[in-house]
Amino acid sequence: MHITIPGSCLFAFICTWAHASFTLIRTFAGLMPPSHSYDHTLLGLYVHLMNLVFISALFQIALAPPGTQACTLDIAKFHRTCPVLPSHKPWLVVQGQPGSFYIDHAHPFGASSASSNAGMIANAAVDILEAEGVRPVQKYEDDLKSFRFPSPLGRFRDGDFLYDYDKDEMLGRMSPLCIPWHKEKCDSAFTFVTTFIGYRWDIPNKLVSLPEPKRYKFYERVRQFLDRFVGHPCQLLDVQKIHGSLCHVAFVYVEGRSRLPSLSNFAVKFPPNNEYAMRFPPDSVITDLKWWLNTLSIPNVNRQLRPRGIIQDLRIFVDASTSWGIGIVIGDEWAAFCLSESWKVDGRDICWLETVAIELLIYFLEARKFREVRLLIRSDNKGTIGALGKGRSRNRHINSSVRRIYAVLLPLFITPELEYVTSIANLADPISRGEPGALGKQMFPSFQLPDELRPCFTYASI
C-alpha cells in the first residue's frame, strides 16, 4: 500500500509526528555549549553518534552478499525546508538592529535544536522509504544511503544481477512526499562504489577509504598547522579544528587513534573563558602530527571490512600485580613475567601493567600464528579494557602499549573482545603474584620484548 500525503504537507506532517520528542530535545539543546567550546562529554557524544553510523555502515558492507549496490541521497536545504511548529516559534526569535526582532519560520542552520528536529523528519522519511520496500537505508543528518540486493524476480537489470528497484523506482515510491533532493550531491544511480558521510565505500571489495580530494585536504590541514605552530603559540580553536579532523579520519586510519590523546591533553590546558589564550604545542603534539602528515601523504589507503565472526573462548586470562609481575593464561597453559626494580616511573601504575599484560599476550598469539580470529580475553582492570576499546589513552605509557598492541592486531585481523572478571575469578591472578601454574604447562616466549619493556620485566620460570 502506498502512502499518499499532499506534498505541501510533508514536513508539517512529520514535524507533528515528531512533536512529542521536541521538549526533551530542546531541554538537551539548552545544555549545548557554543560550537567553539571544548567539552569532552559532548564531543564524546558526537563521536559516539558518528561511530554508530560508521559501525552500521561497516557491518552492512562487511556482510553484503555479491551484487549489493548503494545509492546516496541528499536532502537539499535541509534545515530551511523544515517548518517550525507555531507553538515553538517563540524560542526562535532573533534580534537584528536595536528594537528589531525576527521570527524564524524554519529551523535555522546552527541552532542546537535544528539538527535533532531535522533528523527526526529524516528518520520518518527513512521509515516510510523502508515501508515502501526500499531497505536497508542508512542515515546521517540529511544524507541517506539506500542499499539494494539482487533479487531473482527483480525487474531491473545491472550486469549479471536483477533488482527490485532502481533509483527512479525508489524515488517514485516516495514521490508524494515531495522531498527536495539535492541535484549535485545525490548519486545518479545505484552503484558498487559510493561515497557516504565523507568516505568512499567499495562494496564488492569490502573496503573503506577517504576520497582522494578529502585525503589531500586533511593532509594540507596538518601541514599548515605544523608550518604555523612549530615553535609558535596557537589558540584553542586551532587545536580543536585539527583534532576534530583527525578524529574523523581515524575511522579509516585506525592506528591513528593512539595519536589523538596528545591533542586532547593539550586542549584541556587552555584556560577557560579566554578564547584568545595562546599556548605552545608540546613535543608530543608535534611528533604525533608529523606521524599524521606522513600517513596522510600516502594515497589510496584503505581499511578492509570483514565480518567479525563468532567469539572464540579459549579461556584466556591476563593479570598484573605491582608486588610481583604479570600472569597470562591460555587454556591450561600459562606464562609469568617478573617486575624489575626499574619499572616504576611517573605515569606507570597498575593500569599500565594490566595493559602490558594484554600486550604480552598478543605477542604470544602472534607467535602461535593466530589470524583472522575474534578472541575473548578476560581482565580484572576496567581502565585497561576501556583503553583497548577506544584504541587510545591519555596516559602516555598506556597509550604507547595500546599503539604496539594494535600494530600487531590490525595486520593479523585479530579482534580482541575484552571482558571484565573479578580478581577472584581471574585465573591469571595467582600467577601474577608468583604462584606457578600447572606443572609442564608453562609457555616460553619466542619473541623479544620491545625496547621500552625490556628493562621492566624478566621472564620467570616458576
Side-chain angles (χ1 to χ4, degrees), residues 176-410:
L177 300 176
C178 295
I179 295 177
W181 300 114
H182 201 290
K183 294 182 179 179
E184 298 177 357
K185 294 183 179 180
C186 295
D187 285 339
S188 59
F190 278 88
T191 181
F192 292 108
V193 179
T194 183
T195 300
F196 179 52
I197 51 178
Y199 295 92
R200 181 181 182 272
W201 304 86
D202 184 334
I203 301 174
N205 294 310
K206 306 290 194 292
L207 299 173
V208 60
S209 62
L210 286 179
E212 281 300 290
K214 176 165 279 192
R215 177 194 64 81
Y216 183 74
K217 171 186 172 181
F218 286 115
Y219 168 84
E220 279 294 300
R221 193 165 291 178
V222 175
R223 184 190 64 77
Q224 290 172 15
F225 186 98
L226 290 171
D227 286 348
R228 292 176 60 193
F229 301 123
V230 171
H232 298 86
C234 63
Q235 295 180 348
L236 174 60
L237 185 59
D238 300 311
V239 183
Q240 290 176 332
K241 288 180 178 178
I242 195 71
H243 182 259
S245 298
L246 297 179
C247 281
H248 179 72
V249 303
F251 179 67
V252 172
Y253 301 92
V254 180
E255 288 182 86
R257 291 187 295 180
S258 65
R259 309 281 177 171
L260 297 175
S262 60
L263 284 161
S264 56
N265 289 342
F266 178 41
V268 299
K269 294 181 179 179
F270 283 81
N273 305 319
N274 184 358
E275 60 182 303
Y276 301 106
M278 307 286 284
R279 291 287 185 271
F280 284 88
D283 291 341
S284 58
V285 167
I286 301 304
T287 298
D288 285 341
L289 287 181
K290 287 181 177 179
W291 181 91
W292 276 109
L293 186 70
N294 180 67
T295 299
L296 290 170
S297 69
I298 304 171
N300 302 313
V301 172
N302 299 293
R303 175 182 175 182
Q304 193 163 11
L305 308 177
R306 297 191 181 189
R308 300 173 70 187
I310 299 173
I311 297 177
Q312 294 190 34
D313 184 0
L314 304 182
R315 297 181 69 250
I316 298 176
F317 295 81
V318 295
D319 193 38
S321 69
T322 56
S323 61
W324 194 87
I326 285 174
I328 298 170
V329 171
I330 304 178
D332 59 354
E333 298 180 276
W334 57 276
F337 293 83
C338 185
L339 286 169
S340 66
E341 294 182 359
S342 62
W343 80 271
K344 191 73 173 77
V345 298
D346 186 40
R348 289 180 181 170
D349 53 17
I350 184 59
C351 190
W352 176 74
L353 285 175
E354 298 276 8
T355 305
V356 171
I358 293 180
E359 180 182 350
L360 297 176
L361 164 69
I362 298 304
Y363 296 144
F364 275 108
L365 297 178
E366 179 186 29
R368 294 184 169 209
K369 309 297 183 184
F370 277 81
R371 302 289 187 277
E372 301 185 20
V373 64
R374 186 180 176 196
L375 294 174
L376 182 63
I377 300 172
R378 296 178 175 89
S379 167
D380 57 18
N381 190 282
K382 293 182 179 179
T384 287
I385 292 174
L388 265 294
K390 293 182 294 185
R392 63 187 184 277
S393 171
R394 289 188 181 184
N395 180 295
R396 65 184 181 91
H397 297 287
I398 296 174
N399 201 54
S400 295
S401 180
V402 170
R403 188 175 297 168
R404 293 191 297 267
I405 289 171
Y406 275 95
V408 175
L409 292 179
L410 291 175

Side-chain angles (χ1 to χ4, degrees), residues 24-51:
L24 176 61
I25 289 174
R26 192 177 70 232
T27 302
F28 175 76
L31 302 175
M32 296 286 279
S35 59
H36 63 271
S37 67
Y38 199 83
D39 187 295
H40 284 283
T41 302
L42 292 173
L43 174 65
L45 175 62
Y46 166 76
V47 172
H48 176 67
L49 292 175
M50 288 294 290
N51 281 340

Side-chain angles (χ1 to χ4, degrees), residues 148-164:
R148 69 176 185 177
F149 305 110
S151 171
L153 303 178
R155 297 185 294 113
F156 302 91
R157 177 176 291 277
D158 187 343
D160 297 330
F161 300 100
L162 297 174
Y163 303 92
D164 290 332

